[in-house]
Amino acid sequence: MERFVELENVQKHFDTKKGRFVALQDINLTIRQGEVVSLIGHSGCGKSTVLNIIAGLLEPSDGIALCNGREIDGPGPERAVVFQNHSLLPWLSCYGNILLAVERVFGAKEDKAQLAARTDAALALVGLSHARDKHPHEISGGMKQRVGIARALAMEPKVLLMDEPFGALDALTRANLQDEMVKIVDATGSTVVMVTHDVDEAVLLSDRIVMMTNGPAATVGEILEVQLPRPRNRLALAGDADYHRYRGAVLDFLYQKHRKEAA
Amino acid sequence: MSAAETFSPTLAAGQPATAARSARPRKRKTLLAAAPPSLQPLVRFIRWLVPPLLGLIAFVLLWSLVSQLSRGSLPGPVSTWASATELFADPFYQNGPNDQGIGWNILMSLGRVGVGFGLAAVVGIPLGFMIGRFGFLARMTAPVISLLRPVSPLAWLPIGLLVFKAASPASIWVIFISSIWPMILNTAAGVRAVPQDYLNVARVLRLSEWKVFSVILLPAVLPHMLTGVRLAIGTAWLVIVAAEMLTGGVGLGFWVWDEWNNLNVEHILIAIFVVGLVGLALEQALVWLAKKASFGQGE
């Protein structure tokens, strides 16, 4: 299964009161299995729209979106989404939030004990076993986001979609979660598509960085292959020449070639 | 310096700013600090109690003043209290259909409100859910609801009497019609306010309609729904007294009217207090319930 997610000539427009707004145009993108791909670009460039099309939350206006060789028809648990604002249900505990997803995906085949074991394993994976029975309003923003990631991972998705997963967090918490994400990705070999506006995050986590031009009618500008060896380590990479070369390339794209005028 | 002065205006001018700053918190604590630690909860309780107590005392004083000025046509607090102790000594006596204890009157009114209100919840909450979920239905029902909602609940009483041909179902009908609107409208607004993120979670998980309802919609809407219920019970309790005045039988409203015919003004005043207290209790119970059901949302 070499080509796993495929977008062919995808176009997306929204009909607004002021007329048609073309958000995306001529998006061609292939994502291989086990690959970590970042979508990066200035705000408003439609990177979240691309992610939502893969998730099935939005339908492309034109073109084809395939996953696993089949046309994407609505959202589904094989394409789990980590939402930017965690989207945990406030009336369920951390455990309950994850169990809801686990039950839906594995409930038909497994008994209660197995489902509970999966849920606890997911909590352990993100280091939150101690917050098992806490409710979302009782834990910090970083912890909520970790529960959101655990919920998505517990579904054993074919592809993990993350929409600026660390965007709402402070810099230190973000770095910690990025490091954890590096470990989880290395351990599970997940296919990940991640939307970000953080250059370091993109270089640290990705195999490829898809750089998008500014909207309207945004499209894929350049694709950068990040050939840094795994496992990656933030501290070791801080002095790595290749790391800085990749970082420079992304910055060059964002701030030289496709500079966004201050709004 | 100037900030310290505004915070503690009693401070002597010319004192150094540092002294002023350190003096301020100490000064505020004196009442508490003066008491030994074991008495501090008591001190806090007294502090909490004093303003409402003063308000009530002022109210009673004003009442006796008005009573004095009316030269006894409005009973004062003392005679009302005496009458109340007599009345509540035997709340559940029964001397025929038109002379029953205050307890029966309260229970009858509460019963009617309970039935009318319960029926309104059974009809109004599901209807509110559907109106909130389906825009077509919302647009369909909007003109009818907008037209009927501002109508005074008592205007429905003749219709109730006509259809049910009895007093008690007619007053239940009035309660029903007056408490259904806030339940429909608040539930519908709650459904519309369910965050799209939660619904996206449901879509990604492909939850069944039943799961979407029970795990996402119902808990998300519950606080709004309870607001509707609270508004409804307030209206219902307001309306029942008026409806019972018109229909007669047993109940607080009837009792008020009956005592007016007997010119027993003390009892009317007692009825006013009882209506107020029961209304307050209903309201507080629902506030407590709403807090329980909010799951830390909006924190």
Side-chain angles (χ1 to χ4, degrees):
Chain A
M1 191 46 60
E2 179 65 354
R3 300 191 312 183
F4 193 60
V5 175
E6 285 173 272
L7 301 178
E8 286 174 22
N9 299 317
V10 164
Q11 192 249 23
K12 179 73 192 173
H13 58 250
F14 298 97
D15 287 317
T16 66
K17 278 180 195 155
K18 288 181 193 164
R20 178 162 290 187
F21 173 77
V22 180
L24 298 174
Q25 208 159 33
D26 300 323
I27 300 280
N28 285 291
L29 184 63
T30 305
I31 294 159
R32 294 183 287 268
Q33 198 160 29
E35 188 177 38
V36 180
V37 173
S38 292
L39 299 168
I40 199 166
H42 293 289
S43 59
C45 76
K47 49 197 193 296
S48 288
T49 308
V50 174
L51 194 87
N52 284 334
I53 287 173
I54 300 174
L57 291 167
L58 289 176
E59 260 180 63
S61 309
D62 197 13
I64 306 169
L66 299 172
C67 175
N68 213 359
R70 283 164 56 187
E71 183 147 15
I72 292 170
D73 177 25
E78 80 279 3
R79 281 164 282 123
V81 184
V82 176
F83 297 93
Q84 177 173 11
N85 56 354
H86 66 77
S87 296
L88 300 178
L89 301 177
W91 40 88
L92 296 179
S93 65
C94 297
Y95 181 85
N97 266 289
I98 299 174
L99 184 66
L100 180 70
V102 170
E103 269 180 344
R104 181 62 192 85
V105 180
F106 303 103
K109 285 170 280 174
E110 299 183 7
D111 62 29
K112 282 218 161 100
Q114 284 170 300
L115 298 177
R118 277 183 185 276
T119 309
D120 281 322
L123 276 169
L125 186 67
V126 295
L128 280 182
S129 299
H130 62 280
R132 183 180 190 276
D133 298 316
K134 289 230 164 72
H135 281 72
H137 68 274
E138 298 171 306
I139 60 178
S140 69
M143 288 163 83
K144 279 183 235 187
Q145 203 56 33
R146 281 196 275 174
V147 177
I149 292 168
R151 174 173 65 185
L153 287 170
M155 291 152 73
E156 296 192 350
K158 295 193 177 114
V159 50
L160 182 63
L161 304 171
M162 303 204 287
D163 190 358
E164 294 187 25
F166 314 123
L169 304 175
D170 65 272
L172 281 177
T173 311
R174 192 187 312 158
N176 283 334
L177 274 186
Q178 285 164 355
D179 291 343
E180 273 182 52
M181 211 55 222
V182 168
K183 281 185 209 144
I184 290 170
V185 164
D186 287 345
T188 57
S190 316
T191 310
V192 180
V193 182
M194 180 175 68
V195 166
T196 182
H197 50 231
D198 179 334
V199 176
D200 289 296
E201 182 172 291
V203 178
L204 186 69
L205 289 170
S206 315
D207 296 309
R208 279 192 303 158
I209 301 173
V210 175
M211 293 176 270
M212 295 189 57
T213 63
N214 290 330
T219 190
V220 175
E222 289 173 30
I223 297 181
L224 180 73
E225 296 258 352
V226 182
Q227 288 167 330
L228 294 169
R230 289 180 185 273
R232 294 179 188 165
N233 178 304
R234 178 188 305 274
L235 290 177
L237 288 175
D240 187 291
D242 283 336
Y243 177 81
H244 285 282
R245 193 166 49 77
Y246 291 128
R247 209 173 162 275
V250 178
L251 287 172
D252 186 52
F253 177 90
L254 289 177
Y255 297 105
Q256 287 290 334
K257 298 177 197 161
H258 295 274
R259 186 180 191 84
K260 173 126 175 156
E261 300 306 324
Chain B
M1 185 66 204
S2 64
E5 269 169 6
T6 45
F7 277 126
S8 72
T10 55
L11 215 66
Q15 249 184 321
T18 47
R21 220 171 277 137
S22 62
R24 189 168 54 86
R26 222 182 292 147
K27 220 178 165 63
R28 291 202 53 184
K29 268 196 212 154
T30 43
L31 238 176
L32 261 178
S38 59
L39 283 180
Q40 281 197 4
L42 188 73
V43 171
R44 232 173 269 136
F45 176 72
I46 289 169
R47 267 193 187 176
W48 172 83
L49 192 68
V50 164
L53 204 63
L54 278 178
L56 284 175
I57 290 170
F59 173 75
V60 171
L61 284 177
L62 194 70
W63 176 13
S64 14
L65 187 73
V66 172
S67 162
Q68 291 288 324
L69 289 176
S70 75
R71 291 196 204 86
S73 68
L74 182 77
V78 178
S79 66
T80 306
W81 178 257
S83 176
T85 47
E86 200 182 309
L87 196 65
F88 280 97
D90 183 14
F92 290 106
Y93 73 86
Q94 259 184 327
N95 296 336
N98 282 348
D99 187 11
Q100 302 189 9
I102 177 86
W104 291 118
N105 284 310
I106 296 176
L107 287 182
M108 281 305 284
S109 292
L110 273 178
R112 287 193 192 115
V113 166
V115 174
F117 179 78
L119 286 174
V122 166
V123 177
I125 289 171
L127 198 61
F129 263 101
M130 288 197 290
I131 288 174
R133 196 99 166 94
F134 308 109
F136 184 83
L137 202 63
R139 288 204 301 279
M140 209 173 96
T141 51
V144 181
I145 293 179
S146 321
L147 184 75
L148 297 185
R149 195 170 60 105
V151 175
S152 161
L154 288 179
W156 294 100
L157 190 62
I159 309 286
L161 287 168
L162 185 77
V163 174
F164 300 110
K165 308 220 177 345
S168 193
S171 30
I172 290 173
W173 153 253
V174 171
I175 296 302
F176 171 84
I177 203 83
S178 62
S179 48
I180 198 167
W181 309 121
M183 293 210 233
I184 294 179
L185 294 175
N186 279 283
T187 307
V191 171
R192 264 180 242 123
V194 172
Q196 186 59 41
D197 296 318
Y198 299 165
L199 297 175
N200 278 344
V201 171
R203 287 177 69 197
V204 168
L205 289 175
R206 283 207 191 131
L207 295 176
S208 62
E209 272 295 318
W210 167 245
K211 269 273 183 189
V212 171
F213 175 77
S214 63
V215 178
I216 294 174
L217 283 184
L218 189 63
V221 171
L222 206 55
H224 296 263
M225 209 171 85
L226 285 172
T227 304
V229 167
R230 206 177 80 216
L231 293 173
I233 200 117
T235 324
W237 192 243
L238 282 181
V239 167
I240 190 67
V241 175
E244 284 172 348
M245 274 187 184
L246 294 171
T247 59
V250 188
L252 279 171
F254 165 74
W255 191 63
V256 169
W257 201 248
D258 198 38
E259 298 298 351
W260 167 240
N261 288 332
N262 298 339
L263 273 178
N264 190 339
V265 187
E266 276 102 346
H267 282 187
I268 296 177
L269 292 177
I270 293 165
I272 288 172
F273 281 112
V274 168
V275 169
L277 284 174
V278 174
L280 184 70
L282 290 174
E283 168 96 9
Q284 285 304 309
L286 280 162
V287 167
W288 175 82
L289 203 65
K291 215 176 221 170
K292 280 254 145 187
S294 73
F295 311 104
Q297 287 179 86
E299 270 179 25

